[in-house]
């Protein structure tokens, strides 16, 4: 029986277990027919969680996996424990690999027109996954449009849904509409479709190993990322000023 261990970050359980354990738990959860949402959390998402009540609601009940170095730094500093990072772009790829083996299909929702289609070609080639459908992420915000999108996803028969609308939009969208898509696993994947499509490049391996990918991404588009820099600074000041109330939790079953 697979268990995951968690740390408690301001009341939110965050996975502490390594990638292998996470993937085994996700495989099992899909096998037993569970319906669930996954959040990969970086410092920006942690900042939204700490400051936006609507976002707290959106993250409640989701399986939260640490993505970025900022969050693992905060947890190490305040809880004196290490969490194993699993960047969303890598988790999404591994999920496609799992789905490729099991025959489950994936729907790609988000990013600019044309991007999801290119990402679909890449993922199919590299992982063998079947992409049930794709759709760009620029649409009217009214409920009828969202319900139409849910119907499109549902009719595709996809069991896994990737939502690439950026944070906090994608997690809020999943909280409101995931159930209506009839998919079983929903995950916000941020800019991952852009990476898989080859529109945006990940940092070279040595920069990733130095835990500096976040800086690389900011320097790639400093104007666009200016807001993110401010949010990172605010997050650091919250962690330094208040500390993190939390604890290391017992192992818990996730299936
Ligand atoms: N995006 C979208 N619809 C929107 C806003 C953003 O589909 O209304 C897409 C955007 O094209 C990109 C992804 O969401 O592919 C992530 O956006 P961003 O770079 O802002 O977020 P991050 O990668 O920092 O989470």
């Amino acid at each position: 029986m697979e268990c995951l261990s968690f740390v408690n970050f301001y009341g939110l359980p965050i996975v502490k277990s390594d990638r292998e354990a996470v993937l085994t738990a996700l495989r099992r959860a899909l096998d037993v027919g569970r319906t669930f949402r996954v959040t990969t959390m970086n410092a920006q998402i942690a900042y939204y969680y700490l400051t936006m009540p609507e976002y707290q609601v959106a993250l409640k009940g989701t399986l939260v996996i640490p993505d970025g170095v900022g969050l693992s730094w905060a947890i190490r500093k305040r809880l004196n424990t290490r969490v194993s990072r699993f960047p969303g772009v890598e988790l999404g790829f591994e999920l496609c690999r799992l789905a490729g083996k099991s025959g489950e299909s994936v729907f790609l929702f988000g990013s600019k027109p044309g991007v999801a289609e290119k990402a679909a070609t890449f993922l199919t080639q590299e992982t063998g996954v079947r992409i049930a459908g794709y759709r760009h992420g620029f649409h009217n915000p009214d409920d009828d449009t969202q319900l139409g999108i849910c119907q499109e996803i549902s009719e595709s028969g996809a069991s896994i849904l990737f939502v690439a609308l950026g944070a906090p939009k994608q997690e809020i969208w999943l909280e409101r509409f995931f159930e209506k898509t009839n998919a079983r696993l929903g995950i916000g994947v941020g800019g991952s479709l852009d990476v898989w499509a080859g529109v945006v490049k990940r940092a070279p391996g040595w920069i990733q190993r130095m835990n500096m990918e976040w800086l690389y991404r900011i320097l790639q588009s400093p104007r666009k990322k200016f807001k993110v820099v401010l949010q990172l600074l605010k997050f650091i000041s919250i962690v330094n000023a208040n500390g993190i109330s939390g604890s290391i939790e017992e192992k818990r079953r996730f299936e």
Side-chain angles (χ1 to χ4, degrees):
M1 192 79 74
E2 276 312 315
C3 286
L4 290 176
S5 50
F6 292 81
V7 295
N8 182 338
F9 173 81
Y10 279 106
L12 187 71
I14 297 184
V15 171
K16 183 168 155 39
S17 311
D18 65 17
R19 293 173 181 225
E20 211 177 309
V22 167
L23 288 173
T24 308
L26 293 177
R27 179 64 274 161
R28 249 196 99 68
L30 284 167
D31 285 344
V32 298
R34 193 170 158 175
T35 300
F36 61 104
R37 286 177 282 138
V38 176
T39 308
T40 56
M41 184 180 247
N42 57 21
Q44 188 191 23
I45 289 185
Y47 171 76
Y48 288 132
Y49 172 74
L50 293 175
T51 56
M52 272 176 74
E54 189 188 5
Y55 202 61
Q56 286 176 11
V57 173
L59 259 49
K60 210 161 183 259
T62 71
L63 181 72
V64 184
I65 297 171
D67 171 325
V69 64
L71 179 65
S72 58
W73 162 79
I75 291 172
R76 199 170 61 241
K77 185 169 165 70
R78 290 300 173 190
L79 297 177
N80 202 20
T81 187
R82 284 179 190 275
V83 290
S84 178
R85 285 175 53 213
F86 201 163
V89 66
E90 292 171 23
L91 174 57
F93 187 84
E94 292 303 328
L95 273 173
C96 286
R97 251 215 266 259
L98 287 184
K101 282 190 198 139
S102 64
E104 287 147 316
S105 62
V106 175
F107 193 101
L108 308 178
F109 166 39
S111 299
K112 292 190 180 135
V115 172
E117 184 179 358
K118 281 193 190 141
T121 306
F122 172 82
L123 290 170
T124 304
Q125 273 169 5
E126 296 296 317
T127 69
V129 71
R130 189 168 71 78
I131 300 297
Y134 48 79
R135 182 182 206 295
H136 68 78
F138 292 85
H139 47 264
N140 287 331
D142 63 282
D143 275 8
D144 280 352
T145 306
Q146 315 302 319
L147 293 175
I149 294 170
C150 293
Q151 196 175 345
E152 191 180 328
I153 297 167
S154 174
E155 283 169 4
S156 80
S159 27
I160 300 175
L161 170 64
F162 288 177
V163 182
L165 301 174
K169 226 183 213 182
Q170 60 195 17
E171 285 77 24
I172 292 171
W173 192 93
L174 277 163
E175 196 264 325
R176 287 194 62 201
F177 298 107
F178 175 58
E179 270 187 17
K180 297 186 175 63
T181 67
N182 289 318
R184 286 192 288 125
L185 190 171
I187 177 171
V189 294
S192 302
L193 298 190
D194 296 296
V195 173
W196 296 323
V199 176
V200 169
K201 291 225 174 320
R202 280 196 79 183
W206 64 274
I207 294 183
Q208 289 180 36
R209 284 190 290 280
M210 284 173 72
N211 288 331
M212 283 293 168
E213 190 167 19
W214 59 277
L215 185 59
Y216 179 88
R217 286 176 64 188
I218 287 167
L219 294 176
Q220 266 183 322
S221 45
R223 249 191 244 180
K224 201 181 140 211
K225 295 289 180 190
F226 183 67
K227 197 173 117 193
V228 178
V229 175
L230 290 182
Q231 289 167 338
L232 283 178
L233 292 174
K234 283 186 197 157
F235 176 68
I236 291 169
S237 77
I238 292 172
V239 173
N240 278 327
N242 304 335
I244 286 178
S245 63
S247 59
I248 301 162
E249 289 189 352
E250 296 285 302
K251 285 191 170 208
R252 284 203 285 130
R253 234 166 236 140
F254 173 77
E255 60 179 20

